[in-house]
Amino acid sequence: RQATARNYIKRIAREIFRLQQHDLAGLDIVVRVRKNFTRTDYPVISRELQVQLNLARKNLVLPRLQSMP
């Protein structure tokens, strides 16, 4: 059971990253899951991961691009 849940979490994280990878080029992303969730929690988890990836993109990628001559 734990392996199934772990693999489900990995699939979700990969899919969300895949959909945003063009905006996150050059970043290494580590996803750390702190509590278990079920398939019914997918919309909440998906939204939160997208928010966090957007924050990473804004905080890390954009300042580098702006400072380039």
Side-chain angles (χ1 to χ4, degrees):
R1 274 186 170 223
Q2 289 179 351
T4 302
R6 213 172 24 248
N7 290 336
Y8 179 69
I9 293 165
K10 288 179 190 178
R11 282 195 307 274
I12 289 173
R14 281 190 201 114
E15 178 62 13
I16 293 168
F17 177 79
R18 185 187 68 79
L19 294 173
Q20 296 189 23
Q21 68 184 352
H22 59 280
D23 293 331
L24 300 168
L27 290 179
D28 292 329
I29 304 292
V30 176
V31 176
R32 183 175 172 202
V33 179
R34 293 186 168 193
K35 66 177 187 174
N36 292 334
F37 64 90
T38 63
R39 292 177 193 272
T40 58
D41 296 327
Y42 174 77
V44 174
I45 300 300
S46 174
R47 189 170 42 252
E48 179 62 25
L49 188 52
Q50 289 174 355
V51 166
Q52 295 302 319
L53 290 174
N54 285 334
L55 286 173
R57 180 179 52 82
K58 288 178 184 176
N59 291 331
L60 297 175
V61 176
L62 292 180
R64 288 186 199 156
L65 293 175
Q66 292 172 352
S67 65
M68 292 177 64

